[in-house]
């Protein structure tokens, strides 16, 4: 790691150039292959399209590697290396990794039950979703590092402080947790929140509000959903709508049960947040410069970002494949999601969203895995696709990742909290998203 004078022009250039480059990679509109998209999509589409055979075996290597490292994490290697130790997980996640490895081998070798190998089940989940996630997450993490490592996180987080307490009843520093989830992953944001809670920088109520309202999926996962529904030309618009809706939901849910009834108790002696001295913008720039000065070289930071992205892909891809295949099988061969979506369909019809039956099922199935709503809605209208994409990205809670992860932390989060909040987020989002969708399309 290198340390430079935070006031030097070189540090300022690092802050500005890295932040702008990271943001433009995800949001800059470019003309490609006859349509408007973003550089992120160009990179991913080129890799998954031109090297599909290689991506297939690369994805298999990630899944099998995750299982091998999970086993190794509970042996001497887990004590010796932090990378291996990071694969320790709750029993549910371990079970999903085992099942994911079995399913991946069946699909790649084309051996197993026809119900699993069907093109619309295993082939769809593995060839379209798993392959996309396996490529998108590491590439996204690499470029996200430019934003995080060189001060963009501190710059934006400091600027957001004045709105955090009055709007969301949490300290200003919570903006960093939310941004970490957005530009990195919900696992990063939850790790930060858990650490701050154990250090008494958050009360129990503050920590749970942050963990359950701001642990959104990353921009990389936004791209996966948008790509699945052919919405990448509207990627910036989707990010804007979901971001604003997430803030609205956080402002509402932090003031109602169950979150409002959690006590403001601390693990130890409370560590209060210091006030921002002087004007906000200079303080934000100063914080960004200090972070840029403390970071390593561009090569070091991007290498670390790529490693973190590969590790995240290894942990989530097996769960996505397992839960995805299971949910598609349940959707195809049982009426479960039809029963669960029956009360929702009249509401979807009432707010005027087309393809209400499919949209209702997509809305309900989101609690099992956040990508499944997109898979169910690939053949619906543009209006319905946008509604489903935005809904799935704002629901936050799903059994393939966030719920087990939340329950494995030291935060006072219970399963019933997650279920109630999923229902509340969904019911509040439906009319808001309907109005926005009608205005946009």
């Amino acid at each position: 790691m290198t340390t430079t004078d935070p006031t030097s022009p070189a540090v300022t250039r690092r802050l500005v150039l890295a932040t702008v480059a990271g943001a433009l990679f995800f949001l800059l509109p470019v003309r490609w292959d006859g349509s408007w998209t973003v550089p992120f999509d160009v990179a991913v589409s080129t890799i998954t399209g031109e090297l599909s055979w290689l991506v297939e075996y690369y994805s298999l290597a990630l899944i099998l590697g995750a299982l091998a490292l999970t086993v190794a994490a509970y042996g001497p290697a887990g004590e010796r290396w932090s990378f291996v130790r990071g694969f320790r997980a709750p029993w549910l996640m371990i079970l999903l990794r085992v099942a994911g490895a079995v399913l991946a081998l069946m699909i790649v070798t084309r051996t197993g039950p026809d119900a699993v190998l069907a093109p619309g089940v295993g082939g769809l989940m593995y060839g379209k979703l798993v392959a996309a996630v396996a490529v998108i997450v590491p590439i996204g993490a690499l470029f996200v590092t430019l934003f995080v490592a060189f001060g963009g996180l501190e710059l934006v987080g400091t600027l957001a402080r004045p709105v955090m307490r009055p709007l969301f009843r949490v300290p200003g520093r919570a903006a960093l947790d939310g941004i970490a989830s957005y530009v990195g992953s919900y696992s990063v944001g939850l790790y930060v929140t858990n650490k701050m809670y154990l250090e008494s920088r958050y009360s129990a109520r503050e920590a749970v509000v942050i963990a359950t309202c701001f642990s959104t999926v990353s921009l990389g996962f936004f791209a996966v959903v948008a790509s699945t529904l052919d919405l990448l030309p509207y990627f910036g618009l989707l990010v804007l709508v979901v971001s604003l809706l997430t803030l609205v939901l956080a402002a509402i849910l932090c003031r109602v049960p169950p979150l409002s009834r959690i006590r403001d108790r601390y693990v130890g002696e409370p560590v209060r947040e210091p006030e921002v001295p002087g004007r906000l913008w200079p303080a934000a720039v100063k914080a960004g410069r200090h972070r840029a000065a403390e970071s390593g070289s561009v090569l070091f930071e991007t290498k670390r970002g790529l490693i973190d992205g590969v590790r995240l892909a290894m942990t989530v891809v097996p769960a996505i494949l397992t839960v995805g295949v299971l949910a598609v099988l349940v959707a195809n061969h049982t009426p479960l999601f039809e029963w669960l979506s029956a009360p929702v369909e009249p509401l979807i019809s009432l707010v005027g969203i087309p393809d209400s039956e499919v949209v209702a099922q997509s809305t309900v199935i989101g609690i099992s895995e956040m990508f499944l709503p997109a898979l169910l809605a690939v053949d619906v209208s543009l209006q319905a696709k946008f509604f489903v994409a935005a809904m799935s990205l704002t629901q936050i809670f799903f059994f393939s990742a966030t719920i087990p992860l939340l329950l494995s932390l030291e935060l006072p989060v219970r399963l019933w909290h997650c279920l109630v909040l999923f229902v509340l987020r969904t019911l509040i989002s439906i009319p808001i998203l309907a109005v926005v969708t009608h205005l946009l399309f």
Side-chain angles (χ1 to χ4, degrees), residues 43-63 108 126-136 139 317:
V44 172
S45 299
T46 301
I47 294 173
T48 56
E50 301 297 327
L51 301 172
S52 57
W53 63 271
L54 183 60
V55 172
E56 179 182 13
Y57 289 102
Y58 156 71
S59 302
L60 178 62
L62 288 183
I63 294 172
V108 172
Y126 191 89
K128 188 173 181 68
L129 184 57
V130 168
V133 173
V135 173
I136 281 174
I139 293 178
V317 165

Side-chain angles (χ1 to χ4, degrees), residues 13-37:
R13 283 195 298 272
R14 293 176 77 180
L15 170 63
V16 173
L17 293 177
T19 302
V20 171
L24 292 183
F25 182 69
F26 291 104
L27 301 176
L28 177 67
V30 295
R31 190 76 175 170
W32 179 263
D33 199 22
S35 62
W36 287 98
T37 184

